[in-house]
Amino acid sequence: MSKNQSSGQEAEACNPKLKAVAWSTILIITVPQIIYRLFVPPMPGEPSIPISFAGAEVGILSMLCLVSWGWSTAKQLRGFILALLAIYISHFFIIPYIKGITLLNWMNQASWGMQLVLNILLTHMVLILVMILSLIGSGLGRKELFLVRGNPSALFQPIRFLPDANSGRPTSWTRSMRSFLPAFIIVFVIIMALQIRPGLSQLYKVLISLPFITIAAAVNAFSEEFEYRSVLLARLVPVLGSNSAILISSVFFGLMHYLGGRPGGPIGFVLTGSLGFLMAKSMIETRGFVWAFLIHFVADVVLLCSVAASI
């Protein structure tokens, strides 16, 4: 057992106040927006999250950071709160400002595939940079952030609330993924067909845009795994333990997709939250990035192909 795994298990018995603060934080900065949008749908061209909500949430996270200097419970979660603050400031303030700069209007003249790649590159370059700034002084390296290959063939630990499909026989992540990925692709294609309704007559657009889709999917998968998995898990596992870290990061990932992701809404929350759980579990158990990236990449390729066939 690695040092990180043992420290994660020891943290499972942490102060319940820590878990309460962590859960309360992600719910306070997401649920009010969801409730608001249930009653007030966004107008055409309006952001899914009103700027007033985003400002209030950045204020709450900033206040928690300040309070953490005097409140021992919040102090242990300061790194996690800083990561959330980096995500919110980037998503709702820095990135919209940069995208609004007149010099970037030339992007609108590019093809759909080129616009896709440039938009994803711009978004995640900014977000990753701000996330890296939030890590200064943390002492977290590539291993702690799971930015290594790890052991992709590590044992897949049974999920407590699901029946054991292997009747108690241990199985590896490699073997599990060989069964999971083909089935996942079929199910996800069906979900995308029902939600986005791509046109079969537009399949030529998918073929034309496939190189751009592949690049965009790879960049998006790597970036979101770093932003929503690597950093959050590295911040949470030593404090709350592996199980709580997996649950909190996956619920937050699902809630963010509910608000403005694809797929979005309740289906988006369940689907991305479940995938987030699996990807976080893979990072912790394999101590690496491989399966989380591959699962996310496959999902993004299917999603972007569906979008390309619907325009």
mmCIF file of all heavy atoms in Angstrom, residues 37-66:
data_model
loop_
_atom_site.group_PDB
_atom_site.id
_atom_site.type_symbol
_atom_site.label_atom_id
_atom_site.label_comp_id
_atom_site.label_asym_id
_atom_site.label_seq_id
_atom_site.Cartn_x
_atom_site.Cartn_y
_atom_site.Cartn_z
ATOM 1 N N ARG A 37 -32.556 28.874 -12.008
ATOM 2 C CA ARG A 37 -32.791 28.599 -13.425
ATOM 3 C C ARG A 37 -34.003 27.694 -13.659
ATOM 4 O O ARG A 37 -34.527 27.642 -14.771
ATOM 5 C CB ARG A 37 -31.538 27.980 -14.056
ATOM 6 C CG ARG A 37 -30.448 28.999 -14.379
ATOM 7 C CD ARG A 37 -31.008 30.124 -15.205
ATOM 8 N NE ARG A 37 -29.995 31.083 -15.648
ATOM 9 C CZ ARG A 37 -30.273 32.327 -16.004
ATOM 10 N NH1 ARG A 37 -31.533 32.763 -15.969
ATOM 11 N NH2 ARG A 37 -29.325 33.139 -16.405
ATOM 12 N N LEU A 38 -34.448 26.991 -12.642
ATOM 13 C CA LEU A 38 -35.673 26.216 -12.776
ATOM 14 C C LEU A 38 -36.880 27.130 -12.973
ATOM 15 O O LEU A 38 -37.858 26.773 -13.638
ATOM 16 C CB LEU A 38 -35.893 25.333 -11.546
ATOM 17 C CG LEU A 38 -34.959 24.130 -11.382
ATOM 18 C CD1 LEU A 38 -35.235 23.420 -10.057
ATOM 19 C CD2 LEU A 38 -35.122 23.152 -12.541
ATOM 20 N N PHE A 39 -36.812 28.324 -12.393
ATOM 21 C CA PHE A 39 -37.924 29.263 -12.467
ATOM 22 C C PHE A 39 -37.680 30.393 -13.464
ATOM 23 O O PHE A 39 -38.630 30.982 -13.979
ATOM 24 C CB PHE A 39 -38.192 29.869 -11.076
ATOM 25 C CG PHE A 39 -38.628 28.864 -10.054
ATOM 26 C CD1 PHE A 39 -37.717 28.308 -9.163
ATOM 27 C CD2 PHE A 39 -39.952 28.440 -9.986
ATOM 28 C CE1 PHE A 39 -38.111 27.365 -8.224
ATOM 29 C CE2 PHE A 39 -40.354 27.497 -9.052
ATOM 30 C CZ PHE A 39 -39.434 26.955 -8.176
ATOM 31 N N VAL A 40 -36.405 30.684 -13.739
ATOM 32 C CA VAL A 40 -36.076 31.767 -14.666
ATOM 33 C C VAL A 40 -35.087 31.243 -15.707
ATOM 34 O O VAL A 40 -33.869 31.362 -15.533
ATOM 35 C CB VAL A 40 -35.459 32.978 -13.920
ATOM 36 C CG1 VAL A 40 -35.251 34.146 -14.887
ATOM 37 C CG2 VAL A 40 -36.318 33.388 -12.749
ATOM 38 N N PRO A 41 -35.590 30.650 -16.791
ATOM 39 C CA PRO A 41 -34.694 30.138 -17.839
ATOM 40 C C PRO A 41 -33.901 31.264 -18.470
ATOM 41 O O PRO A 41 -34.392 32.396 -18.573
ATOM 42 C CB PRO A 41 -35.655 29.497 -18.857
ATOM 43 C CG PRO A 41 -36.926 29.280 -18.096
ATOM 44 C CD PRO A 41 -37.001 30.377 -17.083
ATOM 45 N N PRO A 42 -32.661 31.009 -18.905
ATOM 46 C CA PRO A 42 -31.851 32.066 -19.534
ATOM 47 C C PRO A 42 -32.436 32.503 -20.867
ATOM 48 O O PRO A 42 -32.963 31.695 -21.624
ATOM 49 C CB PRO A 42 -30.480 31.410 -19.705
ATOM 50 C CG PRO A 42 -30.762 29.932 -19.733
ATOM 51 C CD PRO A 42 -31.936 29.728 -18.837
ATOM 52 N N MET A 43 -32.336 33.791 -21.159
ATOM 53 C CA MET A 43 -32.753 34.323 -22.447
ATOM 54 C C MET A 43 -31.694 33.966 -23.490
ATOM 55 O O MET A 43 -30.559 33.658 -23.143
ATOM 56 C CB MET A 43 -32.915 35.846 -22.356
ATOM 57 C CG MET A 43 -33.945 36.288 -21.330
ATOM 58 S SD MET A 43 -35.629 35.824 -21.803
ATOM 59 C CE MET A 43 -35.900 36.936 -23.180
ATOM 60 N N PRO A 44 -32.046 33.999 -24.778
ATOM 61 C CA PRO A 44 -31.049 33.718 -25.822
ATOM 62 C C PRO A 44 -29.828 34.626 -25.694
ATOM 63 O O PRO A 44 -29.957 35.843 -25.578
ATOM 64 C CB PRO A 44 -31.822 34.011 -27.115
ATOM 65 C CG PRO A 44 -33.258 33.773 -26.754
ATOM 66 C CD PRO A 44 -33.389 34.231 -25.342
ATOM 67 N N GLY A 45 -28.657 34.027 -25.680
ATOM 68 C CA GLY A 45 -27.417 34.782 -25.548
ATOM 69 C C GLY A 45 -27.019 35.092 -24.123
ATOM 70 O O GLY A 45 -25.918 35.564 -23.863
ATOM 71 N N GLU A 46 -27.913 34.814 -23.178
ATOM 72 C CA GLU A 46 -27.609 35.080 -21.765
ATOM 73 C C GLU A 46 -26.843 33.894 -21.183
ATOM 74 O O GLU A 46 -27.143 32.749 -21.493
ATOM 75 C CB GLU A 46 -28.916 35.287 -20.990
ATOM 76 C CG GLU A 46 -28.706 35.663 -19.529
ATOM 77 C CD GLU A 46 -30.018 35.790 -18.776
ATOM 78 O OE1 GLU A 46 -31.083 35.510 -19.377
ATOM 79 O OE2 GLU A 46 -29.987 36.142 -17.587
ATOM 80 N N PRO A 47 -25.835 34.146 -20.329
ATOM 81 C CA PRO A 47 -25.093 33.033 -19.721
ATOM 82 C C PRO A 47 -25.988 32.193 -18.830
ATOM 83 O O PRO A 47 -26.973 32.686 -18.267
ATOM 84 C CB PRO A 47 -24.000 33.739 -18.909
ATOM 85 C CG PRO A 47 -24.504 35.129 -18.689
ATOM 86 C CD PRO A 47 -25.322 35.462 -19.903
ATOM 87 N N SER A 48 -25.653 30.911 -18.730
ATOM 88 C CA SER A 48 -26.472 30.004 -17.915
ATOM 89 C C SER A 48 -26.448 30.384 -16.442
ATOM 90 O O SER A 48 -27.382 30.101 -15.697
ATOM 91 C CB SER A 48 -25.979 28.562 -18.081
ATOM 92 O OG SER A 48 -24.616 28.445 -17.676
ATOM 93 N N ILE A 49 -25.372 31.059 -16.027
ATOM 94 C CA ILE A 49 -25.245 31.491 -14.636
ATOM 95 C C ILE A 49 -25.169 33.014 -14.607
ATOM 96 O O ILE A 49 -24.233 33.604 -15.155
ATOM 97 C CB ILE A 49 -23.997 30.888 -13.982
ATOM 98 C CG1 ILE A 49 -24.090 29.365 -13.986
ATOM 99 C CG2 ILE A 49 -23.821 31.397 -12.559
ATOM 100 C CD1 ILE A 49 -22.854 28.666 -13.505
ATOM 101 N N PRO A 50 -26.152 33.700 -13.988
ATOM 102 C CA PRO A 50 -26.118 35.167 -13.926
ATOM 103 C C PRO A 50 -24.846 35.655 -13.249
ATOM 104 O O PRO A 50 -24.352 35.033 -12.310
ATOM 105 C CB PRO A 50 -27.365 35.505 -13.092
ATOM 106 C CG PRO A 50 -28.247 34.310 -13.199
ATOM 107 C CD PRO A 50 -27.332 33.137 -13.331
ATOM 108 N N ILE A 51 -24.315 36.782 -13.699
ATOM 109 C CA ILE A 51 -23.078 37.319 -13.155
ATOM 110 C C ILE A 51 -23.216 37.645 -11.678
ATOM 111 O O ILE A 51 -22.246 37.562 -10.911
ATOM 112 C CB ILE A 51 -22.641 38.570 -13.958
ATOM 113 C CG1 ILE A 51 -21.190 38.940 -13.635
ATOM 114 C CG2 ILE A 51 -23.580 39.725 -13.703
ATOM 115 C CD1 ILE A 51 -20.180 37.940 -14.111
ATOM 116 N N SER A 52 -24.442 37.993 -11.255
ATOM 117 C CA SER A 52 -24.660 38.304 -9.836
ATOM 118 C C SER A 52 -24.444 37.064 -8.968
ATOM 119 O O SER A 52 -23.856 37.152 -7.877
ATOM 120 C CB SER A 52 -26.070 38.854 -9.622
ATOM 121 O OG SER A 52 -27.045 37.927 -10.091
ATOM 122 N N PHE A 53 -24.905 35.905 -9.456
ATOM 123 C CA PHE A 53 -24.691 34.662 -8.723
ATOM 124 C C PHE A 53 -23.203 34.325 -8.676
ATOM 125 O O PHE A 53 -22.673 33.951 -7.622
ATOM 126 C CB PHE A 53 -25.457 33.513 -9.381
ATOM 127 C CG PHE A 53 -26.884 33.403 -8.943
ATOM 128 C CD1 PHE A 53 -27.876 34.151 -9.555
ATOM 129 C CD2 PHE A 53 -27.245 32.536 -7.920
ATOM 130 C CE1 PHE A 53 -29.198 34.047 -9.159
ATOM 131 C CE2 PHE A 53 -28.560 32.423 -7.514
ATOM 132 C CZ PHE A 53 -29.550 33.182 -8.137
ATOM 133 N N ALA A 54 -22.546 34.437 -9.827
ATOM 134 C CA ALA A 54 -21.119 34.115 -9.879
ATOM 135 C C ALA A 54 -20.332 35.024 -8.946
ATOM 136 O O ALA A 54 -19.431 34.564 -8.224
ATOM 137 C CB ALA A 54 -20.608 34.256 -11.307
ATOM 138 N N GLY A 55 -20.681 36.321 -8.922
ATOM 139 C CA GLY A 55 -20.001 37.255 -8.031
ATOM 140 C C GLY A 55 -20.212 36.904 -6.568
ATOM 141 O O GLY A 55 -19.278 36.960 -5.761
ATOM 142 N N ALA A 56 -21.451 36.535 -6.227
ATOM 143 C CA ALA A 56 -21.745 36.160 -4.840
ATOM 144 C C ALA A 56 -20.967 34.913 -4.439
ATOM 145 O O ALA A 56 -20.448 34.815 -3.305
ATOM 146 C CB ALA A 56 -23.244 35.924 -4.677
ATOM 147 N N GLU A 57 -20.852 33.951 -5.363
ATOM 148 C CA GLU A 57 -20.156 32.701 -5.040
ATOM 149 C C GLU A 57 -18.654 32.906 -4.907
ATOM 150 O O GLU A 57 -18.013 32.315 -4.027
ATOM 151 C CB GLU A 57 -20.493 31.648 -6.103
ATOM 152 C CG GLU A 57 -21.902 31.107 -5.922
ATOM 153 C CD GLU A 57 -22.619 30.834 -7.223
ATOM 154 O OE1 GLU A 57 -21.983 30.957 -8.291
ATOM 155 O OE2 GLU A 57 -23.819 30.496 -7.172
ATOM 156 N N VAL A 58 -18.099 33.768 -5.764
ATOM 157 C CA VAL A 58 -16.674 34.114 -5.616
ATOM 158 C C VAL A 58 -16.465 34.821 -4.274
ATOM 159 O O VAL A 58 -15.456 34.589 -3.585
ATOM 160 C CB VAL A 58 -16.208 35.004 -6.790
ATOM 161 C CG1 VAL A 58 -14.856 35.637 -6.487
ATOM 162 C CG2 VAL A 58 -16.126 34.177 -8.065
ATOM 163 N N GLY A 59 -17.422 35.669 -3.892
ATOM 164 C CA GLY A 59 -17.335 36.348 -2.597
ATOM 165 C C GLY A 59 -17.369 35.369 -1.440
ATOM 166 O O GLY A 59 -16.602 35.508 -0.468
ATOM 167 N N ILE A 60 -18.241 34.363 -1.528
ATOM 168 C CA ILE A 60 -18.332 33.354 -0.462
ATOM 169 C C ILE A 60 -17.032 32.570 -0.350
ATOM 170 O O ILE A 60 -16.503 32.357 0.757
ATOM 171 C CB ILE A 60 -19.509 32.397 -0.739
ATOM 172 C CG1 ILE A 60 -20.845 33.119 -0.563
ATOM 173 C CG2 ILE A 60 -19.449 31.169 0.182
ATOM 174 C CD1 ILE A 60 -22.046 32.332 -1.036
ATOM 175 N N LEU A 61 -16.491 32.147 -1.491
ATOM 176 C CA LEU A 61 -15.245 31.386 -1.480
ATOM 177 C C LEU A 61 -14.084 32.236 -0.973
ATOM 178 O O LEU A 61 -13.226 31.752 -0.219
ATOM 179 C CB LEU A 61 -14.939 30.855 -2.881
ATOM 180 C CG LEU A 61 -15.900 29.775 -3.404
ATOM 181 C CD1 LEU A 61 -15.643 29.496 -4.885
ATOM 182 C CD2 LEU A 61 -15.754 28.485 -2.594
ATOM 183 N N SER A 62 -14.050 33.510 -1.366
ATOM 184 C CA SER A 62 -12.992 34.409 -0.891
ATOM 185 C C SER A 62 -13.089 34.603 0.612
ATOM 186 O O SER A 62 -12.069 34.611 1.324
ATOM 187 C CB SER A 62 -13.092 35.766 -1.600
ATOM 188 O OG SER A 62 -12.963 35.627 -2.997
ATOM 189 N N MET A 63 -14.314 34.748 1.123
ATOM 190 C CA MET A 63 -14.516 34.911 2.557
ATOM 191 C C MET A 63 -14.067 33.672 3.322
ATOM 192 O O MET A 63 -13.431 33.760 4.375
ATOM 193 C CB MET A 63 -15.998 35.204 2.841
ATOM 194 C CG MET A 63 -16.281 35.587 4.297
ATOM 195 S SD MET A 63 -18.043 35.899 4.570
ATOM 196 C CE MET A 63 -18.344 37.173 3.348
ATOM 197 N N LEU A 64 -14.381 32.484 2.765
ATOM 198 C CA LEU A 64 -13.945 31.241 3.411
ATOM 199 C C LEU A 64 -12.420 31.149 3.459
ATOM 200 O O LEU A 64 -11.849 30.678 4.448
ATOM 201 C CB LEU A 64 -14.515 30.032 2.662
ATOM 202 C CG LEU A 64 -15.948 29.639 2.979
ATOM 203 C CD1 LEU A 64 -16.423 28.533 2.034
ATOM 204 C CD2 LEU A 64 -16.058 29.162 4.427
ATOM 205 N N CYS A 65 -11.757 31.597 2.382
ATOM 206 C CA CYS A 65 -10.294 31.599 2.368
ATOM 207 C C CYS A 65 -9.747 32.494 3.475
ATOM 208 O O CYS A 65 -8.795 32.132 4.175
ATOM 209 C CB CYS A 65 -9.770 32.079 1.020
ATOM 210 S SG CYS A 65 -9.788 30.813 -0.263
ATOM 211 N N LEU A 66 -10.345 33.675 3.625
ATOM 212 C CA LEU A 66 -9.895 34.597 4.665
ATOM 213 C C LEU A 66 -10.158 34.039 6.056
ATOM 214 O O LEU A 66 -9.291 34.093 6.938
ATOM 215 C CB LEU A 66 -10.597 35.949 4.497
ATOM 216 C CG LEU A 66 -10.218 36.768 3.261
ATOM 217 C CD1 LEU A 66 -11.083 38.011 3.147
ATOM 218 C CD2 LEU A 66 -8.743 37.156 3.320
#
